[in-house]
Amino acid sequence: MKTKTTQSPTLAARYIANGELVAFPTETVYGLGANIFNEDAIKKIFEAKGRPSDNPLIAHIADLSQLNSITSEIPPVAKKLIEEFFPGPLTLVLPKHKTVPAIATAGLNTIGVRMPSHPIAQQLLRACGVPLVAPSANLSGRPSPTTWQAVREDLSGRIACILQGNQTKVGLESTVVDCTGDKPRVLRAGGVTLEQLQAVVPETELAAHDDSSAPKSPGTKYRHYSPHAQVFVANFPQHIVPGNEAAFIGIDPPSPVEAFQKTLLCKDIAEYAHSLFQFFRECDDAGIKTIYCQAVSESGLGLALMDRIRRAAHE
Ligand code: AMP
Ligand code: MG
C-alpha cells in the first residue's frame, strides 16, 4: 500500500470514510485513527501496528456531544474531570455504549475516551463526523512517535495516510484514569499530573500494580517504548562510566561529557518528556548501544516520564 502524506484534514477524513487508517498529530503523540463504528477498519489498526488484540484502544472525540454515542453513563466524578481537563491529555475509562464494536475495547465493557486539544486533531475529528479509535501510531513495542517522520519510519506502506503536523508538544501519552469505581484511579501516568487531578477530585489515587481488584489497563503489561539500544536509569549523571557508543539525556550534564557520543540536556522536566521518544529514535539511527537517562523526581510530569524510562529500561 502506498502511504499518502498530506496537510489536509479534509482529505485525511476521506480515507477514514473509506474504512482506511490515518495517522494524525495530537498534543501527546501521533495517533493512528479508524472510524470507531467500523469493525474492519479497527482490525487494520491491530494488523498495521502488530498490536496484541487484548490491548484496548482509546476513543477520540471532537466535542462532548459525541460522548453519548460511545458511553452508556458518565459518573459524576468523570463530569468534574471532563469539565476541568477536556480537551487535553487525559483519557477517562467509562462504561461503554453497546454500539461500539467489542474489538475496539478488547472485549471490555468499558471504553477509554479522550478529547485532544490539538487543532489538527480537532479538524480531522470534525471532518470525520464520528469518533476515532486511535492508539499511538508506532509499531508495537517501539517508542511512540512524536513527529510525522517517526510515523513514516514505522508505518509507511502499512497505512493509507499520514496527516502531517509539527513535533507533538507533551511527547508522552495521555493519563488514563478509570472512572468506573468508587474513586478515580490512575491506570497510566501521563500528560495530566496526579497533583492536577487531585486538585479537582482529592480522592484520586494511583492504581497499585499488584492490586487485583483494580480494573486492568491491559496495555500496561506490555513491553513499551523501547529503542534498540539498551536503556539505563542514571541516578547520578556525574558518576556514569559509559562504554563506547553511549548517549545521555537528562537535565544535568554528565561528566565527562566527551565520553558520550550523543547528549541532550533539557532545561526542565517538560522539555525532557517532550524530547525523550524522539531522542530514543535518533539514538537508534546513530547506532548508539546504550542510553543513560537521568532519573528525576517522580512528582508532577516526572511520574509519567520515569514510568516511560523504566519501561524502556525493562525495570
Ligand atoms: P496507547 O493508545 O497505545 O497509548 O494505549 C492505550 C492505553 O490505554 C493502554 O495502556 C490501554 O490498556 C489503556 N486503555 C484503553 N482503554 C482502556 C479500558 N477500557 N480500560 C482500561 N485501560 C484502557
Ligand atoms: Mg501505544
Side-chain angles (χ1 to χ4, degrees):
M1 169 186 310
K2 178 147 172 45
T3 302
K4 170 84 182 165
T5 47
T6 179
Q7 298 186 355
S8 161
T10 333
L11 175 61
R14 265 184 241 144
Y15 285 99
I16 294 287
N18 288 334
E20 298 293 343
L21 306 184
V22 173
F24 61 98
T26 80
E27 67 277 22
T28 58
V29 300
Y30 274 72
L32 180 62
N35 177 348
I36 193 168
F37 299 116
N38 185 333
E39 214 173 316
D40 290 333
I42 300 174
K43 272 188 201 141
K44 292 180 188 171
I45 290 185
F46 289 93
E47 285 161 16
K49 278 181 61 83
R51 185 176 175 101
S53 60
D54 65 350
N55 193 357
L57 306 175
I58 292 173
H60 290 64
I61 56 173
D63 53 54
L64 291 180
S65 71
Q66 290 184 325
L67 261 183
N68 291 337
S69 65
I70 57 172
T71 61
S72 62
E73 189 200 330
I74 320 261
V77 75
K79 287 202 177 116
K80 277 194 193 166
L81 296 175
I82 286 171
E83 205 167 293
E84 189 68 27
F85 298 109
F86 276 24
L90 178 66
T91 297
L92 300 181
V93 173
L94 300 167
K96 166 179 129 26
H97 196 285
K98 58 181 185 309
T99 53
V100 175
I103 183 180
T105 60
L108 297 173
N109 54 13
T110 56
I111 183 160
V113 184
R114 169 165 124 75
M115 187 194 292
S117 63
H118 195 292
I120 299 177
Q122 286 267 344
Q123 285 160 24
L124 174 68
L125 286 163
R126 276 198 292 273
C128 291
V130 287
L132 301 180
V133 277
S136 48
N138 51 301
L139 287 172
S140 264
R142 296 277 294 142
S144 293
T146 57
T147 64
W148 69 265
Q149 291 91 341
V151 177
R152 185 178 59 184
E153 193 177 283
D154 275 17
L155 297 178
S156 182
R158 304 172 74 91
I159 63 175
C161 177
I162 299 173
L163 180 55
Q164 296 166 295
N166 291 334
Q167 181 164 358
T168 62
K169 188 161 156 266
V170 180
L172 304 179
E173 301 83 350
S174 62
T175 307
V176 179
V177 177
D178 177 66
C179 294
T180 62
D182 50 350
K183 45 184 127 168
R185 284 202 179 145
V186 176
L187 304 180
R188 176 178 77 183
V192 171
T193 67
L194 178 63
E195 294 84 346
Q196 287 174 306
L197 294 166
Q198 286 172 336
V200 178
V201 182
E203 29 329 342
T204 306
E205 60 184 26
L206 288 180
H209 287 303
D210 55 354
D211 183 355
S212 55
S213 71
K216 307 263 179 300
S217 187
T220 53
K221 75 174 186 246
Y222 289 109
R223 209 186 120 194
H224 264 79
Y225 323 114
S226 304
H228 299 305
Q230 203 176 351
V231 174
F232 292 103
V233 180
N235 289 304
F236 303 101
Q238 294 79 7
H239 296 167
I240 305 169
V241 184
N244 288 335
E245 295 165 316
F248 175 89
I249 181 170
I251 294 175
D252 305 308
S255 90
V257 71
E258 310 78 53
F260 296 87
Q261 188 177 319
K262 193 172 161 65
T263 334
L264 183 61
L265 295 183
C266 309
K267 72 171 191 303
D268 53 23
I269 289 185
E271 190 182 312
Y272 191 171
H274 167 81
S275 313
L276 182 75
F277 289 148
Q278 184 59 21
F279 187 73
F280 281 171
R281 285 177 180 265
E282 285 170 14
C283 285
D284 279 350
D285 293 344
I288 296 288
K289 297 278 190 306
T290 47
I291 304 173
Y292 293 86
C293 299
Q294 181 177 2
V296 298
S297 147
E298 291 183 56
S299 58
L301 193 57
L303 183 67
L305 178 59
M306 285 310 295
D307 169 73
R308 304 313 190 268
I309 291 172
R310 291 223 164 86
R311 282 169 195 280
H314 308 294
E315 279 188 4

